[in-house]
Short mmCIF file of all heavy atoms in Angstrom, two decimals:
data_model
loop_
_atom_site.label_atom_id
_atom_site.label_comp_id
_atom_site.label_asym_id
_atom_site.label_seq_id
_atom_site.Cartn_x
_atom_site.Cartn_y
_atom_site.Cartn_z
N ALA A 223 -3.74 -3.91 5.54
CA ALA A 223 -3.03 -4.70 6.55
C ALA A 223 -3.86 -5.87 7.03
O ALA A 223 -3.33 -6.96 7.31
CB ALA A 223 -2.64 -3.81 7.73
N ASN A 226 -3.58 -9.18 5.17
CA ASN A 226 -2.35 -9.94 5.44
C ASN A 226 -2.45 -10.72 6.74
O ASN A 226 -1.88 -11.80 6.87
CB ASN A 226 -1.16 -8.98 5.49
CG ASN A 226 -0.84 -8.38 4.15
OD1 ASN A 226 -0.99 -9.03 3.12
ND2 ASN A 226 -0.42 -7.12 4.12
N VAL A 227 -3.19 -10.18 7.73
CA VAL A 227 -3.37 -10.87 9.00
C VAL A 227 -4.26 -12.10 8.81
O VAL A 227 -4.00 -13.17 9.38
CB VAL A 227 -4.00 -9.92 10.05
CG1 VAL A 227 -4.33 -10.68 11.34
CG2 VAL A 227 -3.04 -8.78 10.36
N VAL A 343 1.21 3.70 7.35
CA VAL A 343 1.97 2.62 7.98
C VAL A 343 1.52 2.42 9.43
O VAL A 343 1.43 1.29 9.91
CB VAL A 343 3.48 2.93 7.94
CG1 VAL A 343 4.27 1.81 8.60
CG2 VAL A 343 3.95 3.11 6.50
N ALA A 344 1.18 3.54 10.11
CA ALA A 344 0.69 3.43 11.48
C ALA A 344 -0.61 2.63 11.53
O ALA A 344 -0.82 1.81 12.44
CB ALA A 344 0.46 4.82 12.08
N ALA A 345 -1.48 2.83 10.54
CA ALA A 345 -2.72 2.07 10.46
C ALA A 345 -2.44 0.59 10.26
O ALA A 345 -3.09 -0.27 10.88
CB ALA A 345 -3.59 2.60 9.31
N SER A 346 -1.48 0.29 9.41
CA SER A 346 -1.11 -1.11 9.17
C SER A 346 -0.58 -1.75 10.45
O SER A 346 -0.90 -2.90 10.77
CB SER A 346 -0.06 -1.19 8.06
OG SER A 346 -0.56 -0.67 6.85
N PHE A 347 0.23 -0.99 11.16
CA PHE A 347 0.82 -1.49 12.41
C PHE A 347 -0.25 -1.78 13.45
O PHE A 347 -0.30 -2.87 14.05
CB PHE A 347 1.82 -0.46 12.93
CG PHE A 347 2.33 -0.75 14.31
CD1 PHE A 347 3.08 -1.87 14.58
CD2 PHE A 347 2.05 0.13 15.35
CE1 PHE A 347 3.55 -2.13 15.85
CE2 PHE A 347 2.53 -0.13 16.62
CZ PHE A 347 3.27 -1.25 16.88
N LEU A 348 -1.15 -0.83 13.66
CA LEU A 348 -2.21 -1.00 14.65
C LEU A 348 -3.16 -2.12 14.25
O LEU A 348 -3.63 -2.90 15.10
CB LEU A 348 -2.97 0.31 14.83
CG LEU A 348 -2.19 1.46 15.48
CD1 LEU A 348 -3.03 2.74 15.47
CD2 LEU A 348 -1.78 1.10 16.91
N THR A 349 -3.46 -2.21 12.95
CA THR A 349 -4.36 -3.27 12.47
C THR A 349 -3.74 -4.64 12.70
O THR A 349 -4.43 -5.60 13.07
CB THR A 349 -4.66 -3.08 10.98
OG1 THR A 349 -5.26 -1.80 10.78
CG2 THR A 349 -5.61 -4.15 10.47
N ALA A 350 -2.44 -4.75 12.47
CA ALA A 350 -1.76 -6.03 12.68
C ALA A 350 -1.80 -6.44 14.15
O ALA A 350 -2.03 -7.61 14.48
CB ALA A 350 -0.31 -5.95 12.20
N ILE A 351 -1.61 -5.47 15.05
CA ILE A 351 -1.64 -5.78 16.48
C ILE A 351 -3.05 -6.20 16.91
O ILE A 351 -3.24 -7.25 17.54
CB ILE A 351 -1.19 -4.56 17.31
CG1 ILE A 351 0.29 -4.27 17.08
CG2 ILE A 351 -1.45 -4.80 18.79
CD1 ILE A 351 0.79 -3.05 17.82
N TYR A 458 4.93 -8.45 2.88
CA TYR A 458 3.86 -8.40 3.88
C TYR A 458 2.98 -9.65 3.83
O TYR A 458 2.62 -10.23 4.85
CB TYR A 458 2.98 -7.17 3.67
CG TYR A 458 3.61 -5.85 4.04
CD1 TYR A 458 2.93 -4.65 3.86
CD2 TYR A 458 4.89 -5.78 4.59
CE1 TYR A 458 3.49 -3.44 4.21
CE2 TYR A 458 5.47 -4.58 4.93
CZ TYR A 458 4.76 -3.39 4.74
OH TYR A 458 5.33 -2.19 5.08
N SER A 478 3.01 -12.60 15.35
CA SER A 478 3.80 -11.56 16.02
C SER A 478 4.87 -11.00 15.09
O SER A 478 5.24 -9.82 15.18
CB SER A 478 4.45 -12.12 17.28
OG SER A 478 3.49 -12.56 18.21
N TYR A 479 5.38 -11.84 14.20
CA TYR A 479 6.47 -11.40 13.33
C TYR A 479 5.97 -10.49 12.21
O TYR A 479 6.74 -9.69 11.68
CB TYR A 479 7.23 -12.61 12.78
CG TYR A 479 7.99 -13.31 13.88
CD1 TYR A 479 7.44 -14.40 14.55
CD2 TYR A 479 9.22 -12.83 14.31
CE1 TYR A 479 8.12 -15.02 15.60
CE2 TYR A 479 9.91 -13.44 15.35
CZ TYR A 479 9.35 -14.53 16.00
OH TYR A 479 10.03 -15.11 17.04
N LEU A 480 4.68 -10.58 11.85
CA LEU A 480 4.13 -9.58 10.94
C LEU A 480 4.11 -8.22 11.63
O LEU A 480 4.39 -7.20 11.00
CB LEU A 480 2.71 -9.97 10.51
CG LEU A 480 1.97 -8.91 9.66
CD1 LEU A 480 2.73 -8.61 8.38
CD2 LEU A 480 0.54 -9.37 9.35
N ILE A 481 3.82 -8.24 12.92
CA ILE A 481 3.84 -6.98 13.68
C ILE A 481 5.26 -6.40 13.69
O ILE A 481 5.45 -5.20 13.50
CB ILE A 481 3.35 -7.21 15.12
CG1 ILE A 481 1.88 -7.63 15.10
CG2 ILE A 481 3.53 -5.94 15.96
CD1 ILE A 481 1.32 -7.98 16.45
N TYR A 482 6.26 -7.26 13.86
CA TYR A 482 7.65 -6.78 13.83
C TYR A 482 8.00 -6.17 12.47
O TYR A 482 8.69 -5.15 12.39
CB TYR A 482 8.62 -7.93 14.14
CG TYR A 482 8.47 -8.53 15.51
CD1 TYR A 482 8.97 -9.79 15.79
CD2 TYR A 482 7.84 -7.83 16.53
CE1 TYR A 482 8.83 -10.36 17.06
CE2 TYR A 482 7.70 -8.39 17.80
CZ TYR A 482 8.19 -9.65 18.05
OH TYR A 482 8.06 -10.20 19.29
N VAL A 483 7.50 -6.82 11.40
CA VAL A 483 7.74 -6.29 10.05
C VAL A 483 7.12 -4.91 9.90
O VAL A 483 7.73 -3.98 9.36
CB VAL A 483 7.16 -7.26 8.99
CG1 VAL A 483 7.10 -6.59 7.62
CG2 VAL A 483 8.00 -8.53 8.90
N LEU A 484 5.90 -4.75 10.44
CA LEU A 484 5.22 -3.46 10.33
C LEU A 484 5.85 -2.41 11.25
O LEU A 484 5.85 -1.22 10.92
CB LEU A 484 3.74 -3.63 10.65
CG LEU A 484 2.97 -4.46 9.61
CD1 LEU A 484 1.55 -4.73 10.08
CD2 LEU A 484 2.96 -3.76 8.26
N VAL A 485 6.39 -2.84 12.38
CA VAL A 485 7.14 -1.92 13.24
C VAL A 485 8.36 -1.40 12.46
O VAL A 485 8.67 -0.21 12.48
CB VAL A 485 7.59 -2.60 14.55
CG1 VAL A 485 8.61 -1.74 15.27
CG2 VAL A 485 6.40 -2.85 15.44
N GLY A 486 9.04 -2.33 11.77
CA GLY A 486 10.18 -1.92 10.94
C GLY A 486 9.76 -0.91 9.89
O GLY A 486 10.47 0.08 9.65
N ALA A 487 8.61 -1.14 9.26
CA ALA A 487 8.12 -0.21 8.24
C ALA A 487 7.80 1.15 8.84
O ALA A 487 8.10 2.20 8.24
CB ALA A 487 6.88 -0.80 7.55
N LEU A 488 7.18 1.17 10.03
CA LEU A 488 6.83 2.43 10.67
C LEU A 488 8.08 3.21 11.07
O LEU A 488 8.18 4.42 10.82
CB LEU A 488 5.96 2.16 11.90
CG LEU A 488 5.48 3.39 12.68
CD1 LEU A 488 4.68 4.33 11.79
CD2 LEU A 488 4.65 2.96 13.90
N VAL A 489 9.04 2.51 11.67
CA VAL A 489 10.30 3.16 12.05
C VAL A 489 11.03 3.67 10.81
O VAL A 489 11.54 4.79 10.78
CB VAL A 489 11.20 2.18 12.83
CG1 VAL A 489 12.60 2.78 13.05
CG2 VAL A 489 10.57 1.83 14.17
N GLY A 490 11.04 2.84 9.75
CA GLY A 490 11.70 3.24 8.51
C GLY A 490 11.05 4.46 7.88
O GLY A 490 11.73 5.33 7.34
N VAL A 534 12.28 -7.99 8.49
CA VAL A 534 12.02 -6.76 9.24
C VAL A 534 12.91 -5.64 8.70
O VAL A 534 12.45 -4.50 8.50
CB VAL A 534 12.28 -6.97 10.74
CG1 VAL A 534 12.08 -5.67 11.51
CG2 VAL A 534 11.34 -8.05 11.29
N ALA A 537 11.65 -4.41 5.34
CA ALA A 537 10.48 -3.55 5.52
C ALA A 537 10.89 -2.15 5.96
O ALA A 537 10.30 -1.15 5.53
CB ALA A 537 9.53 -4.17 6.53
#
Side-chain angles (χ1 to χ4, degrees):
N226 291 325
V227 174
V343 180
S346 299
F347 171 64
L348 292 174
T349 301
I351 292 178
Y458 287 178
S478 298
Y479 291 95
L480 174 60
I481 296 175
Y482 297 160
V483 167
L484 292 173
V485 168
L488 181 59
V489 172
V534 177

